[in-house]
Amino acid sequence: MTNNNLTTKLSKEFDTGNFKVGASYTKVLCWYIVNLVFFRSGIMPLSNVLVWLLRIFGSNIGHDVRIKPHIQIKYPWKLTVGNYSWLGSCIIENLDQVTIGNHVCISQGAMLLTGNHNYNLQTFDLITGQIILEDGVWICANSIICPGVTAESQSVLCVGSVANKSLEANCIYQGNPSQLVKKRKIIILPVSTGTAC
């Protein structure tokens, strides 16, 4: 027999705490349509156009940023992207702020999740936490970043891994939950002068 005091009681109306959409109903509706037509459908392959649309809806995006078709972004006004970053066909569920630094790569199928639920409460109330990806981070294909996580500079989250805690700088993480597997060593190639031998 189930003890009613120990069961989850979901309802359409639940406590969202301090969560705010951050935009008017009209803006959210317009973004829903633009997102569906130009981003999620993959109909628009031109990165410059996708970047332009994100900026119109309030994203702060640097220069030479690459956005791939089929990307899913919940709220562009809660997204900041630095220079030279690449965003593949990933999911950015940004109920809270997502800040992506310079030279960051987010591969296909990766998920950035800023929202969760308090499973200790019957009402399953919403919890949010911002995500920060510092410069030079690589979030590999089909990996997941959980709410409140910071991936420090040059860290890597390997394919299919789940980061529920912050990642240290210059380290490679793998698994579920992700564990540090080794230090990242970046090889600097010599710059070609373009002169013939």
Side-chain angles (χ1 to χ4, degrees):
M1 184 170 179
T2 304
N3 182 341
N4 285 337
N5 293 329
L6 299 177
T7 59
T8 302
K9 297 191 178 191
L10 300 179
S11 70
K12 186 176 177 183
E13 301 300 324
F14 64 95
D15 188 356
T16 59
N18 296 326
F19 170 73
K20 299 279 187 286
V21 172
S24 68
Y25 177 79
T26 304
K27 185 174 182 177
V28 172
L29 181 61
C30 289
W31 169 246
Y32 178 82
I33 295 165
V34 168
N35 187 26
L36 194 62
V37 173
F38 292 101
F39 288 80
R40 295 181 71 166
S41 71
I43 197 170
M44 174 49 64
L46 302 177
S47 180
N48 289 342
V49 173
L50 297 177
V51 166
W52 177 73
L53 287 168
L54 287 171
R55 285 177 177 151
I56 285 176
F57 279 91
S59 292
N60 183 0
I61 300 182
H63 57 269
D64 286 337
V65 170
R66 299 291 174 252
I67 307 282
K68 292 299 219 174
H70 301 289
I71 191 171
Q72 297 180 40
I73 299 169
K74 183 75 171 180
Y75 298 132
W77 47 90
K78 294 186 178 187
L79 177 65
T80 298
V81 182
N83 304 322
Y84 309 109
S85 289
W86 300 350
L87 280 65
S89 53
C90 59
I91 297 173
I92 301 176
E93 188 72 12
N94 56 338
L95 300 174
D96 207 326
Q97 181 67 32
V98 169
T99 302
I100 298 168
N102 303 314
H103 302 281
V104 171
C105 179
I106 304 175
S107 296
Q108 63 274 19
M111 296 176 68
L112 277 58
L113 305 175
T114 61
N116 204 345
H117 292 277
N118 188 343
Y119 55 80
N120 291 314
L121 297 177
Q122 274 190 328
T123 49
F124 218 46
D125 295 348
L126 178 68
I127 305 169
T128 64
Q130 67 176 343
I131 290 174
I132 300 171
L133 307 180
E134 295 181 355
D135 295 351
V137 166
W138 181 16
I139 306 302
C140 298
N142 297 319
S143 57
I144 299 172
I145 300 281
C146 294
V149 167
T150 294
E152 294 180 0
S153 179
Q154 313 303 323
S155 59
V156 175
L157 183 64
C158 292
V159 171
S161 298
V162 178
N164 58 8
K165 293 181 181 174
S166 293
L167 311 179
E168 292 180 20
N170 301 298
C171 291
I172 299 174
Y173 288 80
Q174 185 175 33
N176 180 10
S178 63
Q179 302 292 324
L180 193 157
V181 291
K182 63 181 176 180
K183 290 285 188 179
R184 182 180 184 185
K185 296 178 184 175
I186 299 175
I187 299 168
I188 299 174
L189 299 174
V191 178
S192 173
T193 60
T195 56
C197 295

